[in-house]
């Protein structure tokens, strides 16, 4: 091998050994000029996309949270009732009037809207053929949204029939057919308290109900 050839091979090996394996300059992470000024002036710009996503989730959550209330408004309400013939309920049962007026007074003292009504010839009886075939007519029902109280009144009145039903509105639940109520006055009244006056039940009738007093 000639001297010139050996010299060239040595130079080549030296170049390979000394070849740089990394760059001495790294890319700068700092913002310069107008970019830095814009970032400092508007730091919310970087979070704009994140905030938009969070606001969207909040809106969806608000809509979802309102669904139960909307469903509750559209749910059918349950009504409980006792029913018997009108003469027994309004003319013969001695303590019925007293119990209703006492409950009405209690609701007034507590500022509560009363949740019970007397319904004369209620239309909902058409849903209960097993009850109507056992009733003398005209019939009167004590209706309430308070199930336990209706059960209590059933124990007090005894000779009444008890059931319940669902309705979309109070107007539907308390719908009735107009009827004249005529009760004969007894020839002899032996009780130590005066006889009920006809029409005592009117404060407990649903709004708009009309009956004739005799």
């Amino acid at each position: 091998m000639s001297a010139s050839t050996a010299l060239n091979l040595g130079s080549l090996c030296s170049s390979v050994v000394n070849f740089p394996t990394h760059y001495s300059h790294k890319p700068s992470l700092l913002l310069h000029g107008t970019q830095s000024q814009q970032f400092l002036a508007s730091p919310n710009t970087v979070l704009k996309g994140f905030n938009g996503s969070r606001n969207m989730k909040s809106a969806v959550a608000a809509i979802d949270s309102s669904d139960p209330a909307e469903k509750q408004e559209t749910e059918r309400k349950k009504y409980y009732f006792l029913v018997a013939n009108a003469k027994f309920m309004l003319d013969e049962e001695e303590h019925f009037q007293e119990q209703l007026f006492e409950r009405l007074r209690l609701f007034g003292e507590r500022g509560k809207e009363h949740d019970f009504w007397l319904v004369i010839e209620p239309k909902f009886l058409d849903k209960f053929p097993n009850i109507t075939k056992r009733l003398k007519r005209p019939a009167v029902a004590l209706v309430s949204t308070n199930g336990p109280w209706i059960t209590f009144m059933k124990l007090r009145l005894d000779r009444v029939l008890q059931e319940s039903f669902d309705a979309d509105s109070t107007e539907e639940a308390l719908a009735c057919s107009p009827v004249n109520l005529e009760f004969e006055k007894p020839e002899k009244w032996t009780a130590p308290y005066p006889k009920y006056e006809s029409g005592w039940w009117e404060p407990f009738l649903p709004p708009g109900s009309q009956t004739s007093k005799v």
Side-chain angles (χ1 to χ4, degrees):
M1 181 181 295
S2 63
S4 60
T5 303
L7 180 61
N8 291 336
L9 290 175
S11 299
L12 178 61
C13 292
S14 176
S15 298
V16 172
V17 171
N18 296 326
F19 186 82
T21 58
H22 62 277
Y23 291 97
S24 60
H25 298 286
K26 296 182 179 179
S28 176
L29 298 179
L30 298 178
L31 299 176
H32 301 282
T34 58
Q35 293 180 346
S36 177
Q37 294 176 358
Q38 292 175 355
F39 178 80
L40 294 176
S42 305
N44 292 332
T45 303
V46 179
L47 301 177
K48 182 177 181 180
F50 172 77
N51 289 336
S53 176
R54 183 170 59 184
N55 292 338
M56 178 64 71
K57 292 180 180 179
S58 300
V60 172
I63 294 175
D64 291 341
S65 64
S66 65
D67 287 344
E70 294 176 357
K71 292 179 181 179
Q72 186 174 4
E73 292 178 358
T74 59
E75 287 181 355
R76 293 164 63 85
K77 183 179 293 186
K78 183 172 286 293
Y79 293 82
Y80 307 85
F81 70 90
L82 304 175
V83 65
N85 68 80
K87 182 169 179 58
F88 170 76
M89 292 282 275
L90 305 180
D91 190 58
E92 294 180 352
E93 176 51 48
E94 298 179 356
H95 305 294
F96 189 43
Q97 179 195 41
E98 179 182 350
Q99 291 166 342
L100 292 188
F101 275 108
E102 176 62 22
R103 187 167 180 81
L104 188 63
R105 181 192 64 79
L106 180 64
F107 273 47
E109 291 180 352
R110 297 181 178 180
K112 295 176 59 179
E113 183 177 356
H114 76 271
D115 59 356
F116 60 99
W117 305 267
L118 287 176
V119 185
I120 300 173
E121 278 298 302
K123 292 184 177 181
F124 64 74
L125 286 179
D126 295 338
K127 304 176 183 179
F128 301 94
N130 291 334
I131 288 181
T132 55
K133 68 183 181 182
R134 301 169 59 186
L135 277 178
K136 292 182 179 180
R137 311 303 280 263
V140 172
L142 174 63
V143 183
S144 177
T145 55
N146 189 326
W149 181 69
I150 286 293
T151 300
F152 167 78
M153 291 299 294
K154 170 68 168 66
L155 298 175
R156 296 297 302 270
L157 298 175
D158 188 32
R159 294 162 51 191
V160 294
L161 301 174
Q162 181 179 3
E163 255 297 353
S164 64
F165 64 96
D166 296 331
D168 292 326
S169 65
T170 303
E171 291 74 15
E172 176 188 343
L174 305 181
C176 59
S177 302
V179 64
N180 294 332
L181 296 179
E182 299 181 1
F183 303 127
E184 295 181 0
K185 294 182 179 180
E187 296 181 359
K188 187 177 181 180
W189 181 255
T190 59
Y193 47 84
K195 183 77 171 66
Y196 293 161
E197 291 293 333
S198 181
W200 68 262
W201 51 84
E202 289 190 351
F204 306 99
L205 298 178
S209 298
Q210 295 181 355
T211 59
S212 299
K213 296 185 298 181
V214 178

